[in-house]
Amino acid sequence: MRPLVEHIQGSEHVLLDGIMGYEAQIAGVGDAFAGQRAKNTLVRLLKRRSLPDIARRRAEIVRYIQEEAGLPLRVVNGGGTGSVHTTRTETAVTEITVGSGFYSPTLFDNYQAFRYQPALGYAIEIVRRPQPQIYTCQGGGYTASGAVGLDKQPQPYLPEGARLDPMEGAGEVQTPVHYKGALALHPGDPIFMRHAKAGEVCERFTHLLLVQSGTIIDEVTTYRGDGKCFL
């Protein structure tokens, strides 16, 4: 940190306006996976042990920059969706990055300290019914970034009881969905999906429809809808 700050101080055209720190071991690691009690316990322990060290280091960095180096910081950004409840207690932090949190995608179903109502999803259309309880949908394989795993796949949300085929999952061409419920499904009907993170949905679709009490009340553009393409 010190060499970087000193380099910025000696630069004629660069200004240090803010710093950003992401405590990935807190914000980016789930600790409430179904059927993984031992792992969950260990992850929660490691998080608790890491928290004081994170707060101490961040406070020391901010103190050095502002007091020793004499550079005022307008922004001290920290955290992530999975660490809002801890990052907010640090007096040095001026803003917290929430990311996907407002949408509450499936990835955060595996966090003990994070529980919001799902607020974003997408629909895929049934195009075939190869067996009485299997419905093949077009596309839908919007997999989240990060280490490859089942938790990065989108998951069926409605109708209740629908699930992915364990041997195929959600695919870029087709997505087979198993459903044994009482609701009659036919080609052309939608299967509603929840994504694992927000990025893959907003990079695929140009608009989001805002729904309240079953009624579409507004339509907003994503970055892709605004003509931006970052990936």
Side-chain angles (χ1 to χ4, degrees):
M1 172 62 71
R2 186 181 296 271
L4 177 59
V5 171
E6 292 175 349
H7 182 76
I8 293 174
Q9 285 180 305
S11 175
E12 182 179 354
H13 302 291
V14 178
L15 171 69
L16 181 60
D17 193 41
I19 60 173
M20 176 180 181
Y22 173 56
E23 48 268 34
Q25 73 272 33
I26 308 295
V29 182
D31 57 3
F33 288 92
Q36 300 185 27
R37 182 176 180 180
K39 178 182 177 181
N40 292 335
T41 301
L42 178 60
V43 170
R44 292 170 192 170
L45 173 62
L46 294 175
K47 285 185 177 184
R48 287 195 298 270
R49 292 186 61 180
S50 182
L51 284 172
D53 187 51
I54 292 171
R56 177 186 58 80
R57 290 189 181 192
R58 183 150 35 214
E60 289 178 353
I61 290 172
V62 171
R63 183 192 59 79
Y64 162 69
I65 294 175
Q66 297 193 136
E67 297 180 13
E68 292 189 34
L71 299 176
L73 291 173
R74 185 174 60 90
V75 175
V76 178
N77 179 286
T81 298
S83 66
V84 171
H85 63 295
T86 56
T87 308
R88 69 183 182 185
T89 64
E90 297 184 38
T91 57
V93 174
T94 65
E95 67 176 27
I96 301 174
T97 299
V98 177
S100 299
F102 290 127
Y103 296 139
S104 190
T106 61
L107 189 67
F108 296 102
D109 291 349
N110 303 313
Y111 282 71
Q112 183 186 42
F114 183 89
R115 281 293 179 272
Y116 288 166
Q117 184 177 356
L120 177 65
Y122 62 94
I124 51 179
E125 181 184 358
I126 298 173
V127 294
R128 291 191 298 116
R129 190 179 182 182
Q131 294 185 24
Q133 296 177 344
I134 298 180
Y135 300 85
T136 301
C137 300
Q138 183 179 11
Y142 308 142
T143 303
S145 60
V148 177
L150 295 177
D151 61 328
K152 298 303 175 60
Q153 288 195 91
Q155 295 293 329
Y157 183 52
L158 294 174
E160 293 184 2
R163 60 180 179 84
L164 297 177
D165 187 301
M167 298 300 293
E168 188 160 350
E172 75 281 8
V173 175
Q174 66 177 27
T175 298
V177 175
H178 293 247
Y179 176 66
K180 301 179 181 180
L183 186 65
L185 299 178
H186 308 281
D189 288 344
I191 298 288
F192 291 93
M193 307 284 289
R194 288 179 63 203
H195 56 298
K197 296 168 69 177
E200 64 272 22
V201 173
C202 293
E203 280 292 331
R204 291 279 186 168
F205 296 94
T206 58
H207 293 77
L208 301 179
L209 300 179
L210 306 186
V211 179
Q212 185 177 60
S213 300
T215 301
I216 297 174
I217 61 172
D218 202 356
E219 180 177 312
V220 297
T221 56
T222 61
Y223 280 134
R224 183 59 57 87
D226 289 335
K228 309 295 184 182
C229 184
F230 298 109
L231 300 175

